[in-house]
Amino acid sequence: MPIEPRLIVTGHNRAGEAVFVEDRHPDPVNVQALPGADFYLLWGTPDGEARVGERDAEPVLRPYFPGLGGSRALFLRWAAHSSEPQPMPDPVRVADEVAEKLPGLTDPFEEKGDGMHTTDTVDYAICLEGELCLELDNGAEVTLTPGTCVVQLGTRHAWKNRSDQPALMCYVQIGAARTAG
């Protein structure tokens, strides 16, 4: 039975006591740019300095990638065989849909269509179900299985599901400054 993503958020009541302020199963977001993928946007913090203790804190879920000091947490269920080429519908409609539902998602992707991209984020990527391949720009590759955590430090990479089963990943992205190297 596949994992059903769930979000629980804590906060404080007027008396200052810790309470559960949210407990829900987020709805998936789908875009034609990644056929069959389910994005579960969970939580995010504004760019700059993260803060705790706010009453009625609201998540920042857009743009898709956080800016410097911001964060995003999400689950992404990759479709089986998602690494296989798919016929692309009208590119203008696809771009418009991404801009509406997941603004910024495709900005770091290269035009070759191979999934390679680079972001100015520190990403903690945890495989929860299935298998997913992480490919680096030099062709090096590793297959992630449940329980694997990747710390992605702004390198050029692509995610590919070559298996016949969906893969569920948890990503925590933190906006970072890129140093000249």
Side-chain angles (χ1 to χ4, degrees), residues 93-153:
R93 286 183 44 209
V94 170
D96 289 347
E97 180 189 42
V98 169
E100 176 190 334
K101 293 181 176 181
L102 297 170
L105 171 67
T106 57
D107 292 353
F109 283 82
E110 299 171 11
E111 290 186 20
K112 289 188 264 181
D114 61 359
M116 281 289 173
H117 62 285
T118 307
T119 60
D120 291 339
T121 56
V122 173
D123 300 336
Y124 302 97
I126 303 141
C127 182
L128 302 174
E129 289 179 336
E131 293 182 353
L132 195 67
C133 293
L134 171 59
E135 180 183 352
L136 302 181
D137 61 2
N138 64 0
E141 202 173 276
V142 65
T143 300
L144 286 60
T145 55
T148 303
C149 177
V150 173
V151 179
Q152 177 69 29
L153 299 174

Side-chain angles (χ1 to χ4, degrees), residues 30-96:
N30 309 103
V31 291
Q32 295 176 65
L34 284 169
D38 293 324
F39 291 81
Y40 297 89
L41 306 178
L42 301 174
W43 196 264
T45 59
D47 298 349
E49 185 177 77
R51 299 185 185 279
V52 294
E54 289 180 47
R55 286 229 169 78
D56 304 319
E58 290 291 324
V60 175
L61 302 175
R62 291 169 176 83
Y64 182 81
F65 293 103
L68 185 61
S71 68
R72 304 290 183 272
L74 66 128
F75 289 138
L76 174 50
R77 182 168 279 122
W78 294 85
H81 301 289
S82 63
S83 64
E84 296 173 5
Q86 300 282 329
M88 183 58 80
D90 177 18
V92 173
R93 286 183 44 209
V94 170
D96 289 347

